[in-house]
């Protein structure tokens, strides 16, 4: 047994959060908007388990990702279990098993919490929420373009004014690395330096390595290979082998499709970007805004991952980080103001039937209606309604109106109207009286 | 969007002079304000740059979160903190070394190859632990924030891991270097989102700074 201190236990562990109504409403709003974009593009929502066998979750995870997985032991089998740290391997497994016999392509969406054991900091908790999609069974550049176009549309739909999609192709860098012979230690250092865009260190590293000088120069120049469309032309002279040439041609195709969609202003290209997961295998992309120091989303092609579950099948996908979307939207002040219930019914009559009828009628019409059940005076009830951001109050059985009348009070403007209960009900039923929800 | 401000985080202390000189050379005006007054922020509208004066260890944090678009930080601090930032340029100045040191009297009959357990006082717990664990040596780290050289004398630890530039401070405190862990210089660091969303200006600045650094070297 855990020993208990006599104090009340209210502590919250590092890296998780409780969300109050106001904060929850904002997140629901973002989630609903994003999922509705996904639906409009034909994606169907799926749910994956919160925990799994570690072996499943570690498929395709690099060493640094593996370290961040929350692990625990299955009491029955002694096997290692893990909290999901990434949805993509789970969806990949789902595709390779239960969905295997459905015709391709599959368009799947999810909204779920993800857990990573990392130092909690601004912009990254240990439990966080991802909203994402996986497009399965297509190897065409149109599929990559579809992902990027959906990311753009989602961000526009959410009202974000300024953002950029950073597009890379991981095979380009891998191609260049094939062309140069490096020991494992130097190789690791080169990858780390490219990731940090550390051209100075690359220069030092390649001084000590034999090989084609032109190739080495290209690898040193790689961190600077970002910008607009001109990067594609610049990279042309650096595509040393088949693998790099194919990667570049593929990226160009994706770029051209997106330009055709009219989205080229949103794009920047970065061929030196090696971020993403170990399982990525083609075009990768992240969304950035100026208000936030880290990406809002990440994703890209992973043609070999589903195959590791026994069903070779190309795929691409991406996910937004809900918390970061929220930050970006708050920085641009484009989130709608928080609203509590639409109505609070305050009833001073001993017989509550009229109040219940009104509540039912309004709810049937789609309004949210709360009843003030506590006995208190009218100013007390109104103060409560304002505090809970409720839009309007309906007051029955008070001195201000007759027995068969009600007072409708708009809590924002303080305007009051007196209606007969009968007439009010009819007008609500017929839709003559309507309010924005 | 060409006139939007780029925020640059500069470290107080030994790298400040060179940092100010470098940005002055590439066209920032009025940087002496940061040196001579107690100002912590300086905005130069002509060059479109805004400077923040911070403790060196805080620079990577400001840059990682995007509170500053770019900054100058020692390689020692970057390795210690492992922040997710770009490091496009070795600025060449601020050279120093991170070393293991111990009291002279301990050194006489000491062989670093035979260590199995050490107690170390340092500002760099991560680097220290990594360094010794790579060699299979157990280490107990005492994290301090300053005056590391006092720790052996006061009996807090036998040895220290600290930065040295000339070695004078070590000698004054009766310490000698036993091992070098790494060499460090000042680096230009850049926030990931800034590099992507403001790439024209940021790239221009990196290129200008690289030119100056190259000119200074040759």
């Amino acid at each position: 047994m855990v020993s208990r201190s006599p104090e009340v236990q209210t502590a919250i562990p590092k890296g998780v959060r409780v969300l109050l109504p106001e904060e929850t409403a904002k997140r629901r709003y973002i989630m609903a908007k994003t999922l509705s974009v996904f639906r409009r593009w034909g994606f169907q929502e799926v749910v994956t388990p919160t925990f799994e066998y570690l072996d499943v979750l570690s498929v395709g995870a690099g060493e640094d990702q593996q370290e961040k997985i929350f692990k625990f032991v299955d009491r029955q089998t002694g096997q290692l279990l893990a909290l999901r740290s990434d949805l993509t391997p789970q969806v990949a497994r789902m595709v390779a098993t239960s969905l295997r016999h459905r015709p391709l392509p599959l368009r799947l969406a999810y909204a779920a919490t993800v857990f990573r054991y990392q130092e909690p900091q601004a912009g990254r908790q240990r439990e966080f929420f991802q909203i994402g999609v996986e497009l399965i069974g297509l190897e065409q550049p149109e599929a990559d373009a579809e992902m990027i176009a959906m990311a753009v549309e989602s961000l526009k739909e959410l009202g974000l004014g300024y953002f950029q999609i950073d597009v890379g192709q991981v095979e380009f860098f891998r191609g260049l690395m094939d062309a140069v012979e490096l020991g494992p230690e130097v190789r690791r250092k080169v990858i780390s330096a490219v990731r940090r865009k550390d051209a100075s260190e690359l220069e030092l590293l390649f001084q000590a390595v034999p090989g084609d000088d032109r190739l080495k120069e290209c690898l040193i120049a790689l961190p600077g290979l970002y910008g607009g469309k001109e990067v594609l032309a610049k990279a042309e002279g650096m595509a040393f082998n088949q693998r790099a040439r194919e990667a570049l041609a593929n990226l160009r195709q994706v770029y051209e499709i997106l330009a055709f969609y009219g989205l080229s202003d949103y794009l920047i290209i970065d061929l030196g970007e090696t971020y993403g997961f170990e399982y990525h295998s083609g075009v990768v992309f992240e969304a950035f805004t100026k208000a936030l120091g880290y990406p809002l989303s990440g994703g890209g092609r992973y043609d070999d991952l589903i195959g590791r579950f026994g069903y070779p099948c190309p795929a691409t996908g991406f996910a937004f980080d809900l918390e970061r979307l929220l930050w970006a939207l708050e920085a641009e002040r484009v989130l709608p103001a928080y609203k509590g219930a639409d109505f609070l019914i305050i009833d001073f009559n001993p017989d509550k039937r009229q109040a219940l009828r009104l509540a039912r009628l309004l709810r049937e019409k789609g309004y949210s209606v709360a009843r003030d059940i506590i006995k208190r005076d009218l100013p007390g009830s109104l103060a409560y309604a304002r505090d809970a951001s409720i839009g309007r109050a309906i007051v029955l059985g008070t001195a201000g109106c007759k027995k068969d009348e009600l007072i409708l009070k708009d809590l924002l403007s303080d305007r009051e109207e007196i209606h007969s209960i009968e007439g009010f009900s009819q007008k609500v039923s017929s839709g003559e009286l309507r309010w924005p929800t | 969007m060409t006139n939007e401000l780029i925020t640059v985080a500069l470290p107080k202390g030994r790298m400040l002079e060179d940092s100010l000189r470098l940005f002055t050379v590439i066209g920032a005006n009025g940087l002496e304000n940061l040196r001579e007054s107690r100002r912590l922020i300086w905005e130069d509208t002509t060059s479109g740059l805004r400077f923040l004066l911070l403790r060196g260890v805080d620079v990577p944090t400001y840059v990682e979160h995007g509170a500053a678009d770019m900054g100058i930080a020692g390689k020692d601090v970057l390795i210690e903190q492992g922040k997710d930032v770009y490091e496009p340029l070795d600025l060449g100045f601020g050279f120093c070394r991170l070393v293991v040191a111990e009291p002279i009297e301990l050194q006489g009959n000491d062989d670093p190859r035979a260590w199995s357990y050490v107690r170390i006082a340092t500002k760099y717990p991560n680097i220290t632990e990594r360094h010794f664990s790579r060699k299979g040596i157990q280490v107990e780290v005492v994290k301090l924030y300053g005056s590391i050289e006092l720790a052996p004398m006061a009996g807090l630890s036998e040895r220290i891991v600290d930065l040295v530039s000339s070695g004078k401070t070590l000698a004054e405190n009766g310490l000698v270097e036993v091992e070098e862990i790494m060499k460090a210089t000042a680096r230009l660091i850049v926030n990931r989102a800034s590099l992507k969303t403001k790439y024209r200006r940021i790239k221009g600045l990196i290129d200008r700074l690289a030119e100056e650094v190259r000119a200074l070297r040759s």
Side-chain angles (χ1 to χ4, degrees):
Chain A
M1 280 306 283
V2 179
S3 70
R4 282 181 192 277
S5 78
E7 301 149 50
V8 182
Q9 292 297 318
T10 53
I12 298 170
K14 243 172 145 181
V16 293
R17 289 197 60 186
V18 291
L19 296 171
L20 306 184
E22 296 79 3
E23 301 169 272
T24 308
K26 289 179 203 164
R27 287 165 180 80
R28 279 283 168 225
Y29 165 84
I30 295 171
M31 217 186 307
K33 281 246 164 189
T34 313
L35 283 174
S36 83
V37 172
F38 294 171
R39 243 189 319 273
R40 289 208 298 270
W41 286 69
F43 285 73
Q44 309 290 325
E45 214 177 321
V46 291
V47 173
T48 65
T50 308
F51 58 90
E52 293 254 9
Y53 288 118
L54 176 65
D55 298 347
V56 170
L57 282 170
S58 16
V59 170
E63 213 175 294
D64 49 331
Q65 273 112 29
Q66 297 252 22
E67 276 173 22
K68 292 185 187 154
I69 298 179
F70 273 93
K71 304 170 190 84
F72 54 105
V73 175
D74 185 344
R75 287 193 203 175
Q76 233 163 27
T77 63
Q79 284 212 63
L80 270 179
L81 298 172
L83 294 182
R84 68 175 161 230
S85 55
D86 182 11
L87 270 283
T88 305
Q90 294 189 304
V91 175
R93 191 261 325 269
M94 186 189 285
V95 169
T97 54
S98 316
L99 292 173
R100 187 172 188 152
H101 304 291
R102 299 213 188 166
L104 299 171
L106 291 166
R107 287 186 162 83
L108 305 174
Y110 57 82
T113 47
V114 166
F115 306 84
R116 287 187 199 152
Y117 195 85
Q118 53 201 347
E119 232 7 77
Q121 50 171 315
R124 197 26 77 76
Q125 296 286 310
R126 286 178 172 171
E127 177 187 25
F128 55 99
F129 213 95
Q130 287 192 332
I131 317 166
V133 290
E134 312 292 348
L135 173 51
I136 290 147
L138 299 175
E139 56 184 9
Q140 291 86 339
E142 280 89 343
D144 301 278
E146 179 170 315
M147 292 294 96
I148 295 170
M150 272 173 68
V152 171
E153 190 171 312
S154 306
L155 293 171
K156 275 166 66 178
E157 178 86 13
L158 286 166
L160 200 63
Y162 180 85
F163 59 88
Q164 296 261 275
I165 309 286
D166 178 48
V167 189
Q169 222 296 6
V170 292
E171 284 289 295
F172 185 78
F173 174 58
R174 292 180 191 159
L176 292 193
M177 290 295 276
D178 281 350
V180 59
E181 258 180 64
L182 300 171
E185 178 71 356
V186 181
R187 200 182 157 78
R188 206 178 47 74
K189 284 185 178 160
V190 167
I191 292 173
S192 157
V194 169
R195 182 187 162 102
R196 288 178 286 112
K197 293 201 181 299
D198 189 345
S200 311
E201 190 180 336
L202 283 175
E203 216 165 309
L204 279 177
L205 285 168
F206 283 115
Q207 266 172 17
V209 173
D212 183 337
D213 280 346
R214 275 256 307 127
L215 173 61
K216 289 200 280 182
E217 262 168 47
C218 289
L219 277 158
I220 294 166
L222 195 61
L225 214 53
Y226 59 89
K229 198 180 179 212
E230 72 282 356
V231 171
L232 291 172
K234 231 191 273 175
E236 213 61 70
M238 293 171 56
F240 262 81
N241 49 14
Q242 186 72 6
R243 195 173 181 182
R245 271 193 299 276
E246 277 173 12
L248 192 58
N250 170 253
L251 181 60
R252 188 185 284 279
Q253 279 176 309
V254 173
Y255 189 93
E256 275 161 11
I257 297 165
L258 289 165
F260 183 74
Y261 286 173
L263 299 180
S264 45
D265 282 352
Y266 291 106
L267 304 182
I268 83 157
I269 294 171
D270 191 341
L271 278 165
E273 195 58 84
T274 65
Y275 276 82
F277 289 97
E278 188 253 343
Y279 56 65
H280 282 129
S281 66
V283 165
V284 291
F285 67 98
E286 291 178 307
F288 286 98
T289 147
K290 284 183 191 171
L292 206 64
Y294 357 81
L296 302 172
S297 74
R301 180 161 286 284
Y302 55 96
D303 285 347
D304 308 318
L305 182 62
I306 305 176
R308 294 190 213 173
F309 293 102
Y311 176 42
C313 183
T316 173
F318 75 97
F320 285 115
D321 183 309
L322 178 61
E323 211 57 33
R324 293 178 180 183
L325 281 180
L326 177 64
W327 275 34
L329 294 168
E330 281 191 328
E332 288 196 9
R333 298 174 201 283
V334 290
L335 280 176
Y338 172 73
K339 273 170 50 177
D342 298 321
F343 291 97
L344 180 71
I345 297 187
I346 306 164
D347 182 13
F348 293 100
N349 292 317
D351 179 351
K352 304 291 178 197
R353 269 176 295 180
Q354 276 181 327
L356 292 173
R357 251 198 307 277
L358 278 173
R360 190 191 317 142
L361 172 65
L362 286 163
R363 288 180 190 135
E364 272 168 15
K365 286 284 166 186
Y367 301 106
S368 51
V369 184
R371 281 183 54 228
D372 196 30
I373 291 170
I374 297 178
K375 271 204 185 355
R376 52 184 154 197
D377 61 3
L378 185 56
S381 289
L382 292 175
Y384 160 78
R386 285 203 178 86
D387 193 56
S389 304
I390 294 172
R392 291 171 187 79
I394 291 174
V395 191
L396 300 167
T398 170
C401 66
K402 294 192 199 117
K403 202 156 176 44
D404 58 350
E405 287 178 338
L406 60 81
I407 302 174
L408 174 66
K409 186 177 177 76
D410 185 311
L411 291 169
L412 214 66
S413 65
D414 260 341
R415 247 190 33 220
E416 289 188 3
E417 293 166 16
I418 295 186
H419 293 268
S420 81
I421 295 176
E422 200 48 44
F424 180 82
S425 303
Q426 269 167 21
K427 285 179 193 162
V428 171
S429 290
S430 69
E432 189 183 326
L433 268 178
R434 254 181 308 176
W435 301 271
T437 51
Chain B
M1 288 260 176
T2 47
N3 49 7
E4 78 185 312
L5 277 180
I6 297 288
T7 302
V8 184
L10 300 179
K12 290 179 192 175
R14 61 187 183 86
M15 294 188 300
L16 184 62
E17 267 315 301
D18 287 314
S19 305
L20 295 176
R21 190 177 313 128
L22 187 61
F23 275 97
T24 303
V25 174
I26 68 152
N29 301 300
L31 286 182
E32 59 283 357
N33 283 292
L34 285 175
R35 184 191 318 129
E36 282 149 23
S37 67
R38 297 173 136 267
R39 246 173 211 286
L40 296 177
I41 182 163
W42 174 251
E43 204 169 295
D44 174 35
T45 38
T46 14
S47 63
L49 295 172
R50 178 169 68 169
F51 295 89
L52 309 178
L53 196 53
L54 306 172
R55 281 193 55 186
V57 288
D58 291 334
V59 169
T61 307
Y62 270 70
V63 174
E64 185 184 40
H65 292 298
D69 296 298
M70 52 168 67
I72 292 179
K75 184 67 183 171
D76 48 315
V77 172
L78 291 171
I79 299 245
E80 174 65 22
Q81 300 185 354
K83 299 278 190 207
D84 193 5
V85 293
Y86 292 132
E87 297 169 33
L89 204 54
D90 182 346
L91 298 171
F93 59 74
F95 176 82
C96 56
R97 299 177 312 118
L98 195 64
V99 304
V100 185
E102 61 187 14
I104 293 179
E105 53 275 22
L106 195 63
Q107 196 201 20
N109 46 9
D110 194 24
D111 178 4
R113 287 169 304 180
W115 292 347
S116 70
Y117 172 88
V118 288
R119 194 212 299 253
I120 305 262
T122 185
K123 277 194 253 185
Y124 301 87
N126 295 330
I127 296 179
T128 303
E129 257 174 58
R130 227 173 298 144
H131 173 74
F132 286 106
S133 76
R134 207 175 287 153
K135 298 160 57 134
I137 299 168
Q138 262 192 320
V139 59
E140 185 184 330
V141 173
V142 182
K143 160 93 193 192
L144 294 177
Y145 293 87
S147 304
I148 313 294
E149 310 80 13
L150 287 182
M153 207 193 300
L156 193 56
S157 69
E158 302 102 60
R159 302 180 178 84
I160 65 167
V161 165
D162 203 14
L163 279 189
V164 296
S165 40
S166 65
K168 229 175 90 194
T169 322
L170 282 187
E172 281 168 3
N173 287 283
L175 299 169
V176 283
E177 175 184 335
V178 255
E179 256 188 314
E180 178 183 297
I181 298 180
M182 64 176 288
K183 294 184 170 68
T185 47
R187 304 297 167 112
L188 180 73
I189 59 174
V190 179
N191 172 265
R192 293 193 64 218
S194 302
L195 185 118
K196 312 286 183 183
T197 58
K198 307 172 183 176
Y199 76 88
R200 283 195 185 84
R201 284 219 54 203
I202 299 268
K203 200 170 194 176
L205 282 168
I206 296 174
D207 289 347
R208 283 283 290 119
L209 290 168
E211 247 171 69
E212 279 318 314
V213 170
R214 225 169 297 140
L216 280 175
R217 237 179 248 161
S218 55

